[in-house]
Amino acid sequence: MVVVSLRDAGFESVTLSRGEGAGAHRQKDASPSLDFHFTDSPIVKLELVCQNEEMEEAVQLICGKAQTPEPGDGIFYVSEIDDAYRIKTGDSLKE
């Protein structure tokens, strides 16, 4: 739902990763897996890079679509990216 909403709003480049996390929230049925030595919850990590002027829209969209009535909805971070480069040409994507 979050990814579809982001795409519909024009945020087309999103990366999703599956993982396991440890934090303040612990699922009742969580147990260590064979891949990791600890776990509290299965997680999905979403990575989105956008222009500064698009950030507030992305934050509001993610909060609105990812929120559930359950504890442990997650946390997301906002950080600045100084630059990005196209691997094939080495050209900066900075506007």
Side-chain angles (χ1 to χ4, degrees), residues 6 16 18 26 34 46 53 58 73:
L6 285 167
L16 294 176
R18 188 181 326 214
R26 286 169 175 65
L34 297 175
L46 182 148
E53 58 272 9
D73 285 349

Side-chain angles (χ1 to χ4, degrees), residues 4 8 16 19 37 39 51 72 75:
V4 172
D8 290 348
L16 294 176
H37 298 291
T39 187
Q51 299 297 322
I75 297 172

Side-chain angles (χ1 to χ4, degrees), residues 1-16 46-48 54 57-58 61-62 65:
M1 188 69 150
V2 173
V3 174
V4 172
S5 297
L6 285 167
R7 187 179 305 134
D8 290 348
F11 298 101
E12 296 179 351
S13 298
V14 175
T15 300
L16 294 176
L46 182 148
E47 295 177 65
L48 166 70
E54 299 172 316
E57 180 184 2
L61 199 149
I62 292 167
K65 297 296 182 181

Side-chain angles (χ1 to χ4, degrees), residues 30-50:
S31 62
S33 73
L34 297 175
D35 297 324
F36 301 97
H37 298 291
F38 70 93
T39 187
D40 289 332
S41 306
I43 64 167
V44 174
K45 179 180 178 183
L46 182 148
E47 295 177 65
L48 166 70
V49 177
C50 64

